[in-house]
Amino acid sequence: DNVPKDANYVYRLHKALGNYMQAAGTAHIIAKQEQEMGNYKQAHQLLFRTYQDLKSQQLALPQELWRRLMLLHSYVIVKRLVKAGDHPSAAIMLVRVAKNIQQFPAHVVPILTSVVIECQRAKMIGESYQYACTLMKPEYRKDVSEQYRKKIENIVRKPPPDSDQREVLEANLPCMYCGFSFPESQLDCLNCKNISPFCIASGMRMLKEDWSNCPACNFPARHSVFTATLQQNDQCPMCDSVVKPHEVTLVPDPVNQINYFKSLFQAAELGVYNAAGRKSESAPAPPPPQRRGPEVYSKLNAKVAVSCHAQCFT
């Protein structure tokens, strides 16, 4: 009838018809709109559900959807990291978000303020100075909180030495695919060009020797970090289900899961699915889930973020 339809109804229609790839495209559009309005939890929840739908149907995962989910999750876990006193990891996640600040137009100044403060705490002086200078630009300066304006001005007045502490803080760890070592926050291997999945507890790259999965959503997590995180907060950072540390098991040989993610991203890059959204013969099949029982996902908090700083430091 040539009348534009609400994207949420289009999304539900495609899901009801079993057109999961078309539903994923619509979900990405909706999530993008929610993210631009500052509704980060809602966008995160929608992309997570879409990822689970595609995985259950053995369909290729669009890289744009994956990267947006990764970016939103990096933002979402900052508060946990700060509360746990892990300021280096929180700063690295915030820098990851700041490098894509155009995707967070509703809270540019609060996010960049949080980047400056956390980088100072983590001794990442170079990044702190860089984003402090950005905040002092005319288009942002007037919106900087009075509470932090003087501190940020002082940072700008004292340029750091050429050497930065980030390289010292961030470990170079081996790629799960080829063994090449590079900074653990980078997901794209500089050598083999494959994409590694991220840990839901730390946001860092997954490691072959420290592999586990959430027993509720089966998303990968570093075993050492995930179990430590659950000691303080027993909710999964990805699906929000209640998980006890003893329920998380170390996967001794995650080769099947590693191969799954490798083929999943390659299939998405090559477009290995047909017009109906069904996988072709070369599309990947997910590894058997390691679950404790039926999937029960708690509702994520739908509260709109007033500011990134409030999420990080309150």
Side-chain angles (χ1 to χ4, degrees), residues 199-202 205-215 219-231 243-252 290:
C199 164
I200 57 176
S202 67
R205 188 172 69 251
M206 283 297 295
L207 301 174
K208 185 186 299 185
E209 65 277 6
D210 195 19
W211 194 291
S212 66
N213 299 87
C214 170
F219 224 93
R222 291 187 184 182
H223 182 264
S224 57
V225 181
F226 193 29
T227 51
T229 299
L230 294 174
Q231 296 284 354
V243 179
K244 300 301 180 182
H246 68 270
E247 296 178 312
V248 181
T249 58
L250 180 67
V251 180
Q290 301 177 356

PDB file of all heavy atoms in Angstrom, residues 199-202 205-215 219-231 243-252 290:
ATOM      1  N   CYS A 199      35.505 -11.811  24.802  1.00  0.00           N
ATOM      2  CA  CYS A 199      35.085 -12.332  26.105  1.00  0.00           C
ATOM      3  C   CYS A 199      33.973 -11.445  26.660  1.00  0.00           C
ATOM      4  O   CYS A 199      34.108 -10.219  26.706  1.00  0.00           O
ATOM      5  CB  CYS A 199      36.283 -12.351  27.057  1.00  0.00           C
ATOM      6  SG  CYS A 199      35.874 -12.517  28.806  1.00  0.00           S
ATOM      7  N   ILE A 200      32.876 -12.052  27.098  1.00  0.00           N
ATOM      8  CA  ILE A 200      31.748 -11.255  27.577  1.00  0.00           C
ATOM      9  C   ILE A 200      32.032 -10.598  28.921  1.00  0.00           C
ATOM     10  O   ILE A 200      31.347  -9.640  29.296  1.00  0.00           O
ATOM     11  CB  ILE A 200      30.466 -12.109  27.692  1.00  0.00           C
ATOM     12  CG1 ILE A 200      30.690 -13.311  28.618  1.00  0.00           C
ATOM     13  CG2 ILE A 200      30.002 -12.554  26.320  1.00  0.00           C
ATOM     14  CD1 ILE A 200      29.434 -14.142  28.855  1.00  0.00           C
ATOM     15  N   ALA A 201      33.048 -11.073  29.650  1.00  0.00           N
ATOM     16  CA  ALA A 201      33.359 -10.500  30.966  1.00  0.00           C
ATOM     17  C   ALA A 201      34.354  -9.356  30.884  1.00  0.00           C
ATOM     18  O   ALA A 201      34.255  -8.384  31.634  1.00  0.00           O
ATOM     19  CB  ALA A 201      33.893 -11.581  31.896  1.00  0.00           C
ATOM     20  N   SER A 202      35.325  -9.446  29.966  1.00  0.00           N
ATOM     21  CA  SER A 202      36.380  -8.437  29.882  1.00  0.00           C
ATOM     22  C   SER A 202      36.341  -7.602  28.615  1.00  0.00           C
ATOM     23  O   SER A 202      36.905  -6.512  28.568  1.00  0.00           O
ATOM     24  CB  SER A 202      37.751  -9.116  29.978  1.00  0.00           C
ATOM     25  OG  SER A 202      37.988  -9.928  28.829  1.00  0.00           O
ATOM     26  N   ARG A 205      39.989 -10.171  23.646  1.00  0.00           N
ATOM     27  CA  ARG A 205      39.974 -11.295  22.721  1.00  0.00           C
ATOM     28  C   ARG A 205      39.979 -12.618  23.478  1.00  0.00           C
ATOM     29  O   ARG A 205      40.644 -12.765  24.507  1.00  0.00           O
ATOM     30  CB  ARG A 205      41.198 -11.193  21.805  1.00  0.00           C
ATOM     31  CG  ARG A 205      41.243 -12.166  20.654  1.00  0.00           C
ATOM     32  CD  ARG A 205      42.389 -11.846  19.707  1.00  0.00           C
ATOM     33  NE  ARG A 205      43.697 -12.102  20.290  1.00  0.00           N
ATOM     34  CZ  ARG A 205      44.557 -11.149  20.650  1.00  0.00           C
ATOM     35  NH1 ARG A 205      44.244  -9.887  20.506  1.00  0.00           N
ATOM     36  NH2 ARG A 205      45.738 -11.464  21.158  1.00  0.00           N
ATOM     37  N   MET A 206      39.229 -13.594  22.970  1.00  0.00           N
ATOM     38  CA  MET A 206      39.220 -14.911  23.587  1.00  0.00           C
ATOM     39  C   MET A 206      40.569 -15.604  23.395  1.00  0.00           C
ATOM     40  O   MET A 206      41.262 -15.384  22.400  1.00  0.00           O
ATOM     41  CB  MET A 206      38.112 -15.773  22.990  1.00  0.00           C
ATOM     42  CG  MET A 206      36.716 -15.446  23.508  1.00  0.00           C
ATOM     43  SD  MET A 206      36.528 -15.747  25.284  1.00  0.00           S
ATOM     44  CE  MET A 206      36.735 -17.524  25.366  1.00  0.00           C
ATOM     45  N   LEU A 207      40.909 -16.456  24.383  1.00  0.00           N
ATOM     46  CA  LEU A 207      42.166 -17.202  24.360  1.00  0.00           C
ATOM     47  C   LEU A 207      41.875 -18.697  24.370  1.00  0.00           C
ATOM     48  O   LEU A 207      40.996 -19.159  25.099  1.00  0.00           O
ATOM     49  CB  LEU A 207      43.031 -16.834  25.572  1.00  0.00           C
ATOM     50  CG  LEU A 207      43.411 -15.365  25.720  1.00  0.00           C
ATOM     51  CD1 LEU A 207      44.141 -15.138  27.037  1.00  0.00           C
ATOM     52  CD2 LEU A 207      44.267 -14.899  24.542  1.00  0.00           C
ATOM     53  N   LYS A 208      42.635 -19.426  23.579  1.00  0.00           N
ATOM     54  CA  LYS A 208      42.417 -20.867  23.441  1.00  0.00           C
ATOM     55  C   LYS A 208      42.556 -21.599  24.773  1.00  0.00           C
ATOM     56  O   LYS A 208      41.790 -22.524  25.072  1.00  0.00           O
ATOM     57  CB  LYS A 208      43.416 -21.422  22.424  1.00  0.00           C
ATOM     58  CG  LYS A 208      43.233 -22.896  22.098  1.00  0.00           C
ATOM     59  CD  LYS A 208      44.348 -23.401  21.187  1.00  0.00           C
ATOM     60  CE  LYS A 208      44.368 -22.676  19.866  1.00  0.00           C
ATOM     61  NZ  LYS A 208      45.385 -23.260  18.925  1.00  0.00           N
ATOM     62  N   GLU A 209      43.541 -21.179  25.593  1.00  0.00           N
ATOM     63  CA  GLU A 209      43.826 -21.908  26.832  1.00  0.00           C
ATOM     64  C   GLU A 209      42.981 -21.431  28.021  1.00  0.00           C
ATOM     65  O   GLU A 209      43.135 -21.953  29.128  1.00  0.00           O
ATOM     66  CB  GLU A 209      45.309 -21.776  27.181  1.00  0.00           C
ATOM     67  CG  GLU A 209      45.758 -20.361  27.507  1.00  0.00           C
ATOM     68  CD  GLU A 209      46.081 -19.529  26.273  1.00  0.00           C
ATOM     69  OE1 GLU A 209      45.851 -20.021  25.144  1.00  0.00           O
ATOM     70  OE2 GLU A 209      46.565 -18.392  26.446  1.00  0.00           O
ATOM     71  N   ASP A 210      42.102 -20.469  27.822  1.00  0.00           N
ATOM     72  CA  ASP A 210      41.306 -19.930  28.931  1.00  0.00           C
ATOM     73  C   ASP A 210      39.848 -19.812  28.493  1.00  0.00           C
ATOM     74  O   ASP A 210      39.204 -18.806  28.722  1.00  0.00           O
ATOM     75  CB  ASP A 210      41.866 -18.553  29.350  1.00  0.00           C
ATOM     76  CG  ASP A 210      41.332 -18.092  30.701  1.00  0.00           C
ATOM     77  OD1 ASP A 210      40.838 -18.932  31.480  1.00  0.00           O
ATOM     78  OD2 ASP A 210      41.389 -16.869  30.971  1.00  0.00           O
ATOM     79  N   TRP A 211      39.330 -20.865  27.882  1.00  0.00           N
ATOM     80  CA  TRP A 211      38.019 -20.810  27.225  1.00  0.00           C
ATOM     81  C   TRP A 211      36.930 -21.412  28.104  1.00  0.00           C
ATOM     82  O   TRP A 211      37.076 -22.485  28.669  1.00  0.00           O
ATOM     83  CB  TRP A 211      38.077 -21.573  25.901  1.00  0.00           C
ATOM     84  CG  TRP A 211      36.917 -21.311  24.979  1.00  0.00           C
ATOM     85  CD1 TRP A 211      35.627 -21.695  25.145  1.00  0.00           C
ATOM     86  CD2 TRP A 211      36.959 -20.599  23.732  1.00  0.00           C
ATOM     87  NE1 TRP A 211      34.852 -21.270  24.086  1.00  0.00           N
ATOM     88  CE2 TRP A 211      35.647 -20.604  23.205  1.00  0.00           C
ATOM     89  CE3 TRP A 211      37.975 -19.978  23.012  1.00  0.00           C
ATOM     90  CZ2 TRP A 211      35.332 -20.003  21.983  1.00  0.00           C
ATOM     91  CZ3 TRP A 211      37.668 -19.374  21.801  1.00  0.00           C
ATOM     92  CH2 TRP A 211      36.354 -19.385  21.299  1.00  0.00           C
ATOM     93  N   SER A 212      35.821 -20.689  28.194  1.00  0.00           N
ATOM     94  CA  SER A 212      34.612 -21.210  28.822  1.00  0.00           C
ATOM     95  C   SER A 212      33.419 -20.572  28.130  1.00  0.00           C
ATOM     96  O   SER A 212      33.580 -19.707  27.260  1.00  0.00           O
ATOM     97  CB  SER A 212      34.590 -20.919  30.332  1.00  0.00           C
ATOM     98  OG  SER A 212      34.488 -19.520  30.568  1.00  0.00           O
ATOM     99  N   ASN A 213      32.227 -21.000  28.521  1.00  0.00           N
ATOM    100  CA  ASN A 213      31.000 -20.449  27.949  1.00  0.00           C
ATOM    101  C   ASN A 213      30.002 -20.184  29.059  1.00  0.00           C
ATOM    102  O   ASN A 213      29.974 -20.906  30.059  1.00  0.00           O
ATOM    103  CB  ASN A 213      30.379 -21.409  26.933  1.00  0.00           C
ATOM    104  CG  ASN A 213      31.280 -21.713  25.761  1.00  0.00           C
ATOM    105  OD1 ASN A 213      32.106 -22.614  25.810  1.00  0.00           O
ATOM    106  ND2 ASN A 213      31.145 -20.955  24.708  1.00  0.00           N
ATOM    107  N   CYS A 214      29.186 -19.166  28.857  1.00  0.00           N
ATOM    108  CA  CYS A 214      28.080 -18.953  29.789  1.00  0.00           C
ATOM    109  C   CYS A 214      27.134 -20.144  29.671  1.00  0.00           C
ATOM    110  O   CYS A 214      26.718 -20.499  28.572  1.00  0.00           O
ATOM    111  CB  CYS A 214      27.346 -17.649  29.455  1.00  0.00           C
ATOM    112  SG  CYS A 214      25.794 -17.441  30.371  1.00  0.00           S
ATOM    113  N   PRO A 215      26.783 -20.803  30.780  1.00  0.00           N
ATOM    114  CA  PRO A 215      25.886 -21.965  30.703  1.00  0.00           C
ATOM    115  C   PRO A 215      24.467 -21.611  30.282  1.00  0.00           C
ATOM    116  O   PRO A 215      23.696 -22.502  29.920  1.00  0.00           O
ATOM    117  CB  PRO A 215      25.914 -22.517  32.129  1.00  0.00           C
ATOM    118  CG  PRO A 215      26.333 -21.375  32.978  1.00  0.00           C
ATOM    119  CD  PRO A 215      27.245 -20.530  32.146  1.00  0.00           C
ATOM    120  N   PHE A 219      27.578 -17.984  25.249  1.00  0.00           N
ATOM    121  CA  PHE A 219      28.517 -17.025  24.679  1.00  0.00           C
ATOM    122  C   PHE A 219      29.889 -17.267  25.308  1.00  0.00           C
ATOM    123  O   PHE A 219      29.991 -17.585  26.486  1.00  0.00           O
ATOM    124  CB  PHE A 219      28.061 -15.598  24.983  1.00  0.00           C
ATOM    125  CG  PHE A 219      28.158 -14.660  23.818  1.00  0.00           C
ATOM    126  CD1 PHE A 219      27.079 -14.453  22.982  1.00  0.00           C
ATOM    127  CD2 PHE A 219      29.339 -13.984  23.545  1.00  0.00           C
ATOM    128  CE1 PHE A 219      27.155 -13.591  21.902  1.00  0.00           C
ATOM    129  CE2 PHE A 219      29.444 -13.125  22.473  1.00  0.00           C
ATOM    130  CZ  PHE A 219      28.344 -12.921  21.642  1.00  0.00           C
ATOM    131  N   PRO A 220      30.972 -17.126  24.540  1.00  0.00           N
ATOM    132  CA  PRO A 220      32.301 -17.412  25.082  1.00  0.00           C
ATOM    133  C   PRO A 220      32.781 -16.367  26.083  1.00  0.00           C
ATOM    134  O   PRO A 220      32.441 -15.190  25.988  1.00  0.00           O
ATOM    135  CB  PRO A 220      33.196 -17.425  23.833  1.00  0.00           C
ATOM    136  CG  PRO A 220      32.488 -16.565  22.849  1.00  0.00           C
ATOM    137  CD  PRO A 220      31.017 -16.774  23.105  1.00  0.00           C
ATOM    138  N   ALA A 221      33.577 -16.830  27.031  1.00  0.00           N
ATOM    139  CA  ALA A 221      34.162 -15.951  28.045  1.00  0.00           C
ATOM    140  C   ALA A 221      35.475 -16.560  28.516  1.00  0.00           C
ATOM    141  O   ALA A 221      35.623 -17.786  28.558  1.00  0.00           O
ATOM    142  CB  ALA A 221      33.217 -15.776  29.229  1.00  0.00           C
ATOM    143  N   ARG A 222      36.424 -15.706  28.875  1.00  0.00           N
ATOM    144  CA  ARG A 222      37.650 -16.210  29.496  1.00  0.00           C
ATOM    145  C   ARG A 222      37.280 -16.784  30.860  1.00  0.00           C
ATOM    146  O   ARG A 222      36.691 -16.088  31.692  1.00  0.00           O
ATOM    147  CB  ARG A 222      38.674 -15.084  29.652  1.00  0.00           C
ATOM    148  CG  ARG A 222      39.250 -14.578  28.336  1.00  0.00           C
ATOM    149  CD  ARG A 222      40.369 -13.594  28.614  1.00  0.00           C
ATOM    150  NE  ARG A 222      40.909 -13.002  27.392  1.00  0.00           N
ATOM    151  CZ  ARG A 222      41.920 -12.136  27.357  1.00  0.00           C
ATOM    152  NH1 ARG A 222      42.498 -11.759  28.499  1.00  0.00           N
ATOM    153  NH2 ARG A 222      42.343 -11.643  26.220  1.00  0.00           N
ATOM    154  N   HIS A 223      37.662 -18.017  31.077  1.00  0.00           N
ATOM    155  CA  HIS A 223      37.256 -18.705  32.301  1.00  0.00           C
ATOM    156  C   HIS A 223      37.726 -17.980  33.555  1.00  0.00           C
ATOM    157  O   HIS A 223      36.966 -17.789  34.511  1.00  0.00           O
ATOM    158  CB  HIS A 223      37.802 -20.136  32.285  1.00  0.00           C
ATOM    159  CG  HIS A 223      37.401 -20.951  33.473  1.00  0.00           C
ATOM    160  ND1 HIS A 223      38.198 -21.104  34.589  1.00  0.00           N
ATOM    161  CD2 HIS A 223      36.263 -21.652  33.736  1.00  0.00           C
ATOM    162  CE1 HIS A 223      37.588 -21.853  35.473  1.00  0.00           C
ATOM    163  NE2 HIS A 223      36.411 -22.216  34.995  1.00  0.00           N
ATOM    164  N   SER A 224      38.981 -17.542  33.559  1.00  0.00           N
ATOM    165  CA  SER A 224      39.542 -16.894  34.747  1.00  0.00           C
ATOM    166  C   SER A 224      38.820 -15.584  35.060  1.00  0.00           C
ATOM    167  O   SER A 224      38.535 -15.278  36.225  1.00  0.00           O
ATOM    168  CB  SER A 224      41.035 -16.636  34.549  1.00  0.00           C
ATOM    169  OG  SER A 224      41.266 -15.843  33.386  1.00  0.00           O
ATOM    170  N   VAL A 225      38.513 -14.816  34.025  1.00  0.00           N
ATOM    171  CA  VAL A 225      37.864 -13.518  34.224  1.00  0.00           C
ATOM    172  C   VAL A 225      36.388 -13.692  34.559  1.00  0.00           C
ATOM    173  O   VAL A 225      35.845 -13.020  35.454  1.00  0.00           O
ATOM    174  CB  VAL A 225      38.018 -12.633  32.967  1.00  0.00           C
ATOM    175  CG1 VAL A 225      37.372 -11.270  33.181  1.00  0.00           C
ATOM    176  CG2 VAL A 225      39.481 -12.470  32.602  1.00  0.00           C
ATOM    177  N   PHE A 226      35.729 -14.598  33.853  1.00  0.00           N
ATOM    178  CA  PHE A 226      34.284 -14.796  34.041  1.00  0.00           C
ATOM    179  C   PHE A 226      33.970 -15.282  35.454  1.00  0.00           C
ATOM    180  O   PHE A 226      33.056 -14.772  36.112  1.00  0.00           O
ATOM    181  CB  PHE A 226      33.779 -15.790  32.999  1.00  0.00           C
ATOM    182  CG  PHE A 226      32.282 -15.853  32.860  1.00  0.00           C
ATOM    183  CD1 PHE A 226      31.488 -14.748  33.137  1.00  0.00           C
ATOM    184  CD2 PHE A 226      31.660 -17.018  32.432  1.00  0.00           C
ATOM    185  CE1 PHE A 226      30.106 -14.792  32.996  1.00  0.00           C
ATOM    186  CE2 PHE A 226      30.281 -17.083  32.288  1.00  0.00           C
ATOM    187  CZ  PHE A 226      29.503 -15.973  32.568  1.00  0.00           C
ATOM    188  N   THR A 227      34.711 -16.264  35.934  1.00  0.00           N
ATOM    189  CA  THR A 227      34.450 -16.781  37.283  1.00  0.00           C
ATOM    190  C   THR A 227      34.735 -15.724  38.349  1.00  0.00           C
ATOM    191  O   THR A 227      34.003 -15.620  39.334  1.00  0.00           O
ATOM    192  CB  THR A 227      35.302 -18.037  37.560  1.00  0.00           C
ATOM    193  OG1 THR A 227      36.680 -17.764  37.248  1.00  0.00           O
ATOM    194  CG2 THR A 227      34.826 -19.205  36.719  1.00  0.00           C
ATOM    195  N   ALA A 228      35.769 -14.920  38.136  1.00  0.00           N
ATOM    196  CA  ALA A 228      36.068 -13.840  39.085  1.00  0.00           C
ATOM    197  C   ALA A 228      34.970 -12.785  39.064  1.00  0.00           C
ATOM    198  O   ALA A 228      34.567 -12.264  40.119  1.00  0.00           O
ATOM    199  CB  ALA A 228      37.420 -13.210  38.747  1.00  0.00           C
ATOM    200  N   THR A 229      34.450 -12.488  37.879  1.00  0.00           N
ATOM    201  CA  THR A 229      33.366 -11.512  37.749  1.00  0.00           C
ATOM    202  C   THR A 229      32.113 -11.993  38.457  1.00  0.00           C
ATOM    203  O   THR A 229      31.420 -11.213  39.131  1.00  0.00           O
ATOM    204  CB  THR A 229      33.058 -11.257  36.262  1.00  0.00           C
ATOM    205  OG1 THR A 229      34.216 -10.732  35.624  1.00  0.00           O
ATOM    206  CG2 THR A 229      31.904 -10.281  36.094  1.00  0.00           C
ATOM    207  N   LEU A 230      31.798 -13.284  38.318  1.00  0.00           N
ATOM    208  CA  LEU A 230      30.585 -13.836  38.923  1.00  0.00           C
ATOM    209  C   LEU A 230      30.661 -13.882  40.443  1.00  0.00           C
ATOM    210  O   LEU A 230      29.628 -13.973  41.114  1.00  0.00           O
ATOM    211  CB  LEU A 230      30.329 -15.240  38.372  1.00  0.00           C
ATOM    212  CG  LEU A 230      29.981 -15.313  36.878  1.00  0.00           C
ATOM    213  CD1 LEU A 230      29.891 -16.765  36.425  1.00  0.00           C
ATOM    214  CD2 LEU A 230      28.673 -14.578  36.581  1.00  0.00           C
ATOM    215  N   GLN A 231      31.869 -13.801  40.997  1.00  0.00           N
ATOM    216  CA  GLN A 231      32.007 -13.735  42.457  1.00  0.00           C
ATOM    217  C   GLN A 231      31.409 -12.442  42.999  1.00  0.00           C
ATOM    218  O   GLN A 231      30.885 -12.400  44.119  1.00  0.00           O
ATOM    219  CB  GLN A 231      33.491 -13.823  42.850  1.00  0.00           C
ATOM    220  CG  GLN A 231      34.174 -15.126  42.488  1.00  0.00           C
ATOM    221  CD  GLN A 231      33.812 -16.272  43.421  1.00  0.00           C
ATOM    222  OE1 GLN A 231      33.126 -16.075  44.433  1.00  0.00           O
ATOM    223  NE2 GLN A 231      34.254 -17.473  43.081  1.00  0.00           N
ATOM    224  N   VAL A 243      24.083 -16.774  37.010  1.00  0.00           N
ATOM    225  CA  VAL A 243      25.058 -17.847  36.810  1.00  0.00           C
ATOM    226  C   VAL A 243      25.964 -17.898  38.033  1.00  0.00           C
ATOM    227  O   VAL A 243      26.480 -16.875  38.475  1.00  0.00           O
ATOM    228  CB  VAL A 243      25.911 -17.609  35.538  1.00  0.00           C
ATOM    229  CG1 VAL A 243      26.932 -18.740  35.366  1.00  0.00           C
ATOM    230  CG2 VAL A 243      25.031 -17.490  34.307  1.00  0.00           C
ATOM    231  N   LYS A 244      26.155 -19.082  38.579  1.00  0.00           N
ATOM    232  CA  LYS A 244      27.051 -19.271  39.714  1.00  0.00           C
ATOM    233  C   LYS A 244      28.434 -19.668  39.204  1.00  0.00           C
ATOM    234  O   LYS A 244      28.561 -20.379  38.204  1.00  0.00           O
ATOM    235  CB  LYS A 244      26.515 -20.352  40.649  1.00  0.00           C
ATOM    236  CG  LYS A 244      25.130 -20.038  41.219  1.00  0.00           C
ATOM    237  CD  LYS A 244      25.122 -18.732  41.999  1.00  0.00           C
ATOM    238  CE  LYS A 244      23.735 -18.433  42.570  1.00  0.00           C
ATOM    239  NZ  LYS A 244      23.714 -17.121  43.286  1.00  0.00           N
ATOM    240  N   PRO A 245      29.493 -19.215  39.880  1.00  0.00           N
ATOM    241  CA  PRO A 245      30.855 -19.511  39.403  1.00  0.00           C
ATOM    242  C   PRO A 245      31.124 -20.994  39.179  1.00  0.00           C
ATOM    243  O   PRO A 245      31.802 -21.367  38.213  1.00  0.00           O
ATOM    244  CB  PRO A 245      31.739 -18.945  40.519  1.00  0.00           C
ATOM    245  CG  PRO A 245      30.918 -17.856  41.143  1.00  0.00           C
ATOM    246  CD  PRO A 245      29.505 -18.339  41.067  1.00  0.00           C
ATOM    247  N   HIS A 246      30.564 -21.857  40.037  1.00  0.00           N
ATOM    248  CA  HIS A 246      30.837 -23.295  39.904  1.00  0.00           C
ATOM    249  C   HIS A 246      30.164 -23.903  38.673  1.00  0.00           C
ATOM    250  O   HIS A 246      30.490 -25.032  38.269  1.00  0.00           O
ATOM    251  CB  HIS A 246      30.398 -24.050  41.165  1.00  0.00           C
ATOM    252  CG  HIS A 246      28.903 -24.089  41.365  1.00  0.00           C
ATOM    253  ND1 HIS A 246      28.221 -23.118  42.083  1.00  0.00           N
ATOM    254  CD2 HIS A 246      27.956 -24.970  40.921  1.00  0.00           C
ATOM    255  CE1 HIS A 246      26.933 -23.408  42.094  1.00  0.00           C
ATOM    256  NE2 HIS A 246      26.739 -24.515  41.388  1.00  0.00           N
ATOM    257  N   GLU A 247      29.223 -23.179  38.078  1.00  0.00           N
ATOM    258  CA  GLU A 247      28.544 -23.684  36.884  1.00  0.00           C
ATOM    259  C   GLU A 247      29.359 -23.459  35.614  1.00  0.00           C
ATOM    260  O   GLU A 247      29.039 -24.011  34.564  1.00  0.00           O
ATOM    261  CB  GLU A 247      27.177 -23.003  36.731  1.00  0.00           C
ATOM    262  CG  GLU A 247      26.203 -23.307  37.843  1.00  0.00           C
ATOM    263  CD  GLU A 247      24.879 -22.584  37.675  1.00  0.00           C
ATOM    264  OE1 GLU A 247      24.903 -21.361  37.424  1.00  0.00           O
ATOM    265  OE2 GLU A 247      23.828 -23.231  37.779  1.00  0.00           O
ATOM    266  N   VAL A 248      30.396 -22.641  35.701  1.00  0.00           N
ATOM    267  CA  VAL A 248      31.223 -22.326  34.541  1.00  0.00           C
ATOM    268  C   VAL A 248      32.398 -23.289  34.506  1.00  0.00           C
ATOM    269  O   VAL A 248      33.170 -23.369  35.469  1.00  0.00           O
ATOM    270  CB  VAL A 248      31.726 -20.871  34.598  1.00  0.00           C
ATOM    271  CG1 VAL A 248      32.564 -20.545  33.369  1.00  0.00           C
ATOM    272  CG2 VAL A 248      30.549 -19.905  34.708  1.00  0.00           C
ATOM    273  N   THR A 249      32.530 -24.008  33.416  1.00  0.00           N
ATOM    274  CA  THR A 249      33.595 -25.002  33.301  1.00  0.00           C
ATOM    275  C   THR A 249      34.610 -24.586  32.238  1.00  0.00           C
ATOM    276  O   THR A 249      34.257 -23.998  31.216  1.00  0.00           O
ATOM    277  CB  THR A 249      33.021 -26.387  32.939  1.00  0.00           C
ATOM    278  OG1 THR A 249      32.292 -26.282  31.702  1.00  0.00           O
ATOM    279  CG2 THR A 249      32.084 -26.879  34.027  1.00  0.00           C
ATOM    280  N   LEU A 250      35.852 -24.922  32.492  1.00  0.00           N
ATOM    281  CA  LEU A 250      36.928 -24.656  31.538  1.00  0.00           C
ATOM    282  C   LEU A 250      36.853 -25.666  30.400  1.00  0.00           C
ATOM    283  O   LEU A 250      36.752 -26.871  30.628  1.00  0.00           O
ATOM    284  CB  LEU A 250      38.278 -24.750  32.244  1.00  0.00           C
ATOM    285  CG  LEU A 250      39.524 -24.504  31.398  1.00  0.00           C
ATOM    286  CD1 LEU A 250      39.585 -23.050  30.940  1.00  0.00           C
ATOM    287  CD2 LEU A 250      40.786 -24.864  32.186  1.00  0.00           C
ATOM    288  N   VAL A 251      36.899 -25.168  29.176  1.00  0.00           N
ATOM    289  CA  VAL A 251      36.901 -26.043  28.003  1.00  0.00           C
ATOM    290  C   VAL A 251      38.353 -26.390  27.697  1.00  0.00           C
ATOM    291  O   VAL A 251      39.123 -25.517  27.280  1.00  0.00           O
ATOM    292  CB  VAL A 251      36.240 -25.361  26.790  1.00  0.00           C
ATOM    293  CG1 VAL A 251      36.264 -26.289  25.580  1.00  0.00           C
ATOM    294  CG2 VAL A 251      34.809 -24.947  27.120  1.00  0.00           C
ATOM    295  N   PRO A 252      38.753 -27.645  27.879  1.00  0.00           N
ATOM    296  CA  PRO A 252      40.173 -27.993  27.712  1.00  0.00           C
ATOM    297  C   PRO A 252      40.673 -27.869  26.276  1.00  0.00           C
ATOM    298  O   PRO A 252      41.828 -27.523  26.047  1.00  0.00           O
ATOM    299  CB  PRO A 252      40.237 -29.448  28.208  1.00  0.00           C
ATOM    300  CG  PRO A 252      38.840 -29.961  28.098  1.00  0.00           C
ATOM    301  CD  PRO A 252      37.941 -28.790  28.316  1.00  0.00           C
ATOM    302  N   GLN A 290      26.683 -26.031  25.449  1.00  0.00           N
ATOM    303  CA  GLN A 290      26.997 -26.566  26.769  1.00  0.00           C
ATOM    304  C   GLN A 290      26.126 -25.824  27.770  1.00  0.00           C
ATOM    305  O   GLN A 290      26.509 -24.811  28.320  1.00  0.00           O
ATOM    306  CB  GLN A 290      28.478 -26.374  27.091  1.00  0.00           C
ATOM    307  CG  GLN A 290      29.380 -27.057  26.090  1.00  0.00           C
ATOM    308  CD  GLN A 290      30.836 -26.796  26.375  1.00  0.00           C
ATOM    309  OE1 GLN A 290      31.187 -26.047  27.269  1.00  0.00           O
ATOM    310  NE2 GLN A 290      31.694 -27.411  25.588  1.00  0.00           N
TER     311      GLN A 290
END
